[in-house]
Amino acid sequence: MGIFSRTRDIIAANFNELLDQADDPTKMIRMIILEMEETLVEVRASAARTIADQKEMHRHTVKLERLQSDWSEKAELALSKDREDLARAALVEKRKAGDTCDQLRQEIAVLDDALRAYEQDIAKLQNRLREARSRQSQISARLESAENRVKLRSLMTNDRVEDAHARFDQLERRVDYAEGRADALGIGQDKATLADEFAALEGGDKVDDELEEMKRALGMKSQDTGSSAKKNEGE
């Protein structure tokens, strides 16, 4: 396939259609980018050769223009010496040089058109290449995301995950059992709580009050009352 036809095919290519038809979009986009990069290198190389040919033609036109000037001077010299035959021959050579120079100028004009076409093709290829690389990044990101989702779903449905959950349940049951044993050890043991201590204090006060009431009923004085009376008599 010629470079021009291949360049046109790449520029006109429908990436979406190519990727939709591909079994492996990632591989297809890599092939597209590789083809575009190779074509871009070839187009630039052809443009470089065209520029080199054009410069060489310019040098030839300069030489031919100088040659025409030289033959013109020789024709004038021959006429000044009454050598019309030599003057005619010099003018013939001048005409040949002029015709060749005109032909080179036409070829240079053709190369100018070719260079403009190369410039347009290179610009279009670069745009398409940027587009393809952008699509490659998008496809790679989507592919990576899809693969991660597959891995995650595979992991969630994996028997090892179920086994791990079952082992966690077993560990929790063992912890519950250990805590139950610790609680069971405290059953039946006397252990005064703060509420029990306050209840004992309140119960002691009630007993003292009841004892004093019984003493008064029997006409007995409390030890504290007797001690106070004796103290008053002594005074």
Side-chain angles (χ1 to χ4, degrees), residues 4 64 87 102 164 197:
F4 290 105
L64 289 171
D102 292 339
E197 293 181 1

Side-chain angles (χ1 to χ4, degrees), residues 48-71:
R49 288 192 296 270
T50 300
I51 293 172
D53 292 341
Q54 194 178 52
K55 289 183 177 181
E56 184 177 1
M57 289 180 182
H58 276 298
R59 288 196 298 271
H60 281 300
T61 57
V62 171
K63 291 179 180 178
L64 289 171
E65 288 172 354
R66 188 181 303 119
L67 183 60
Q68 291 179 72
S69 178
D70 291 342
W71 283 119

Side-chain angles (χ1 to χ4, degrees), residues 101-211:
C101 187
D102 292 339
Q103 184 178 357
L104 284 177
R105 288 195 181 97
Q106 292 176 1
E107 293 179 4
I108 289 173
V110 172
L111 293 181
D112 284 335
D113 294 337
L115 282 175
R116 282 192 291 270
Y118 279 131
E119 290 176 358
Q120 294 175 359
D121 289 342
I122 289 173
K124 292 177 181 178
L125 279 173
Q126 287 176 332
N127 290 332
R128 295 293 276 169
L129 185 57
R130 282 193 293 268
E131 180 183 351
R133 286 171 177 167
S134 176
R135 292 297 303 276
Q136 183 184 34
S137 300
Q138 295 174 7
I139 291 174
S140 298
R142 290 175 58 191
L143 180 62
E144 183 179 0
S145 176
E147 290 176 348
N148 290 336
R149 289 200 303 271
V150 170
K151 290 179 182 178
L152 180 60
R153 291 178 181 176
S154 299
L155 180 63
M156 295 303 296
T157 58
N158 198 325
D159 294 337
R160 289 182 298 177
V161 176
E162 297 296 331
D163 293 340
H165 284 298
R167 290 183 181 180
F168 282 132
D169 293 338
Q170 292 177 0
L171 289 175
E172 288 181 350
R173 285 195 293 271
R174 289 179 61 183
V175 172
D176 292 340
Y177 179 70
E179 291 176 347
R181 289 184 59 189
D183 293 340
L185 292 175
I187 297 176
Q189 294 183 359
D190 294 334
K191 183 177 181 182
T193 64
L194 185 61
D196 294 335
E197 293 181 1
F198 276 103
L201 292 176
E202 293 175 355
D205 292 339
K206 291 180 180 180
V207 171
D208 291 339
D209 293 341
E210 186 177 359
L211 180 61

